[in-house]
């Protein structure tokens, strides 16, 4: 299990979450979303509002990272790495690895 209670709490409290996908040519594409939702163990869901390039990248290779950060209780953050898919107007991200940033 990748998600700790601290990561789940940070998903709920983070004011913004950064999503990074990769183009077919290997170029990173970062966007900022307002909220994410823990769907089940190690899966986050993000509502799709446009995200045209992000959707295209996910469909081509599925690679994705999510960056969570907060200043609450002192600076801390996590980089989550895994795979994503598009389902029912949501990006569903399955974390395979979590790294503490601060």
């Amino acid at each position: 299990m990748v998600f700790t209670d601290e990561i789940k709490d940070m998903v709920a409290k983070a004011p913004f979450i950064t999503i990074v996908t990769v183009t077919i040519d290997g170029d990173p594409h970062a966007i900022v979303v307002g909220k994410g939702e823990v769907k089940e163990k190690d899966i986050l869901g993000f509502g799709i509002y446009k995200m045209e390039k992000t959707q295209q990248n996910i469909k081509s290779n599925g690679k994705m990272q999510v960056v969570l950060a907060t200043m609450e209780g002192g600076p801390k953050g996590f980089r989550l790495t895994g795979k994503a898919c598009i389902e029912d107007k949501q990006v569903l991200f399955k974390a395979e690895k979590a790294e503490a940033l601060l």
Side-chain angles (χ1 to χ4, degrees):
M1 187 160 186
V2 175
F3 288 173
T4 62
D5 288 340
E6 185 178 21
I7 290 172
K8 290 176 187 176
D9 188 53
M10 194 173 294
V11 169
K13 292 181 178 176
F16 299 99
I17 298 174
T18 302
I19 292 175
V20 181
T21 57
V22 181
T23 68
I24 198 160
D25 297 324
D27 296 323
H29 175 74
I31 65 169
V32 176
V33 297
K35 288 291 175 187
E37 177 186 3
V38 177
K39 296 297 226 174
E40 52 187 80
K41 63 179 181 180
D42 301 334
I43 295 179
L44 293 177
F46 302 95
I48 294 176
Y49 175 74
K50 296 190 180 187
M51 289 188 186
E52 291 153 6
K53 185 74 167 177
T54 298
Q55 289 184 74
Q56 181 181 30
N57 293 344
I58 290 170
K59 288 174 184 174
S60 71
N61 61 43
K63 295 179 183 179
M64 189 164 132
Q65 286 187 329
V66 173
V67 178
L68 306 168
T70 185
M71 291 297 291
E72 186 177 307
K76 57 188 162 195
F78 292 92
R79 177 185 304 115
L80 309 173
T81 303
K83 293 281 190 171
C85 65
I86 308 296
E87 192 174 292
D88 297 327
K89 298 187 180 186
Q90 283 196 320
V91 171
L92 296 178
F93 169 74
K94 171 108 171 98
E96 298 168 350
K97 182 169 87 171
E99 303 169 80
L101 295 177
L102 300 171

